[in-house]
Amino acid sequence: QGTAATPQQTATTTATTTTTTNSGSAEYYYTVVSGDTYFEIAKRYGLTTAELKALNPGVNHDRIDIGDKVRVK
């Protein structure tokens, strides 16, 4: 994977992509940038960290890397 996002680095850009499932509901993904944490991403999208973790099973929540895609809806 990529370089770990750390608090010392400054976020410069954000990206969100949308995917539509077969059921017609939209899924939204956020691309991790430098300085991001699960708490900050959850807060930005109006979620708790528990809700964000539930949307992203199988992801190492203790280490997210720059460029990782995190489901936010």
Side-chain angles (χ1 to χ4, degrees):
Q1 293 196 2
T3 306
T6 64
Q8 294 81 18
Q9 298 169 321
T10 304
T12 55
T13 59
T14 59
T16 306
T17 57
T18 306
T19 306
T20 304
T21 64
N22 289 338
S23 65
S25 62
E27 294 178 351
Y28 295 90
Y29 291 84
Y30 171 77
T31 303
V32 176
V33 296
S34 178
D36 280 340
T37 66
Y38 246 63
F39 175 78
E40 291 168 342
I41 295 168
K43 183 177 172 184
R44 184 177 302 140
Y45 288 93
L47 303 167
T48 65
T49 53
E51 291 170 326
L52 186 61
K53 288 177 181 181
L55 286 170
N56 294 279
V59 173
N60 181 352
H61 304 113
D62 295 322
R63 181 185 168 117
I64 54 174
D65 293 318
I66 295 169
D68 284 353
K69 295 206 184 308
V70 177
R71 184 175 173 193
V72 293
K73 180 179 174 188

